[in-house]
Amino acid sequence: MVSEHSDASDGDSAALALKILVAGGFGVGKTTLVGAVSEIRPLRTEELLSEAGQSVDDTDGVDHKTTTTVAMDFGRITIRSGLSLYLFGTPGQDRFWFLWDELSQGALGAVVLADTRRLEDCFPAVDYFEHRRIPFVVAVNCFPGARQHGAPDVSRALDLDRGTPVVLCDARDRDSGKEVLIRLVEYAGRMHTARLLDSVG
């Protein structure tokens, strides 16, 4: 979850590097979010959609999408001096879910991106993180032209556990994406602290 390393360049004796997953349904904006916030050139494993995948990839509502992530996206963002986040974008299709267990090892938490036009597509990610007790926030990617829904409505529609944050965002905007990540780090920190106190109490 956390690694420490010396960084003489900024004077910190130890810096924290936290692993964050970015998950959600097909075409919801995971690659876009990672690319928007990353301070390094993001690693992407996208391939063109093929005719063979037409029977399993539901492109309804994302007709413009021509590529898909087949392994993961990777990026890095520095939240503040001494705190960096390593972002791992997960593939959205069911046939690539065997990668999720590997990617989730050591993760502090996750962002589940949601599209209110295809809200049901993020149910599998929500279930995955709830069952594994990995803290997550739901980030509603506000697509142009999509009907706007408030955070309480989305929380009810997804039947989220009480206290699970729901935030509105624009995955294309760096500042918006950074706010989502900060919200996740704060929430995951509270969750991990509460569990630690429970275990010693």
Side-chain angles (χ1 to χ4, degrees), residues 78-176:
T78 301
I79 297 297
R80 58 170 170 76
S81 178
L83 175 59
S84 297
L85 304 183
Y86 291 100
L87 309 176
F88 293 81
T90 64
Q93 301 98 312
D94 292 352
R95 66 183 185 278
F96 296 124
W97 270 48
F98 65 92
L99 294 169
W100 281 50
D101 288 337
E102 291 293 328
L103 290 174
S104 65
Q105 291 290 326
L108 173 77
V111 173
V112 176
L113 272 176
D115 178 353
T116 56
R117 301 169 301 177
R118 298 155 53 99
L119 199 57
E120 67 280 359
D121 289 359
C122 70
F123 273 115
V126 168
D127 289 343
Y128 182 92
F129 297 122
E130 283 185 345
H131 287 137
R132 286 160 182 79
R133 301 185 73 218
I134 297 174
F136 68 95
V137 301
V138 173
V140 179
N141 192 7
C142 299
F143 286 90
R147 182 181 173 190
Q148 298 300 307
H149 296 273
D153 294 333
V154 173
S155 181
R156 282 192 296 271
L158 293 176
D159 193 26
L160 297 176
D161 290 342
R162 185 176 180 181
T164 302
V166 176
V167 295
L168 307 182
C169 75
D170 182 343
R172 303 166 299 179
D173 182 78
R174 176 180 171 82
D175 289 338
S176 181

Side-chain angles (χ1 to χ4, degrees), residues 25-43:
F26 177 67
V28 77
K30 300 180 295 294
T31 298
T32 300
L33 177 65
V34 173
V37 301
S38 181
E39 62 198 15
I40 62 171
R41 183 178 179 182
L43 168 68

Side-chain angles (χ1 to χ4, degrees), residues 50-58:
S50 64
E51 290 185 13
Q54 287 180 352
S55 62
V56 290
D57 293 332
D58 180 12

Side-chain angles (χ1 to χ4, degrees), residues 46-69:
E46 288 195 308
E47 295 292 340
L48 290 173
L49 292 174
S50 64
E51 290 185 13
Q54 287 180 352
S55 62
V56 290
D57 293 332
D58 180 12
T59 58
D60 185 38
V62 286
D63 304 328
H64 62 284
K65 187 168 176 61
T66 59
T67 60
T68 185
T69 299

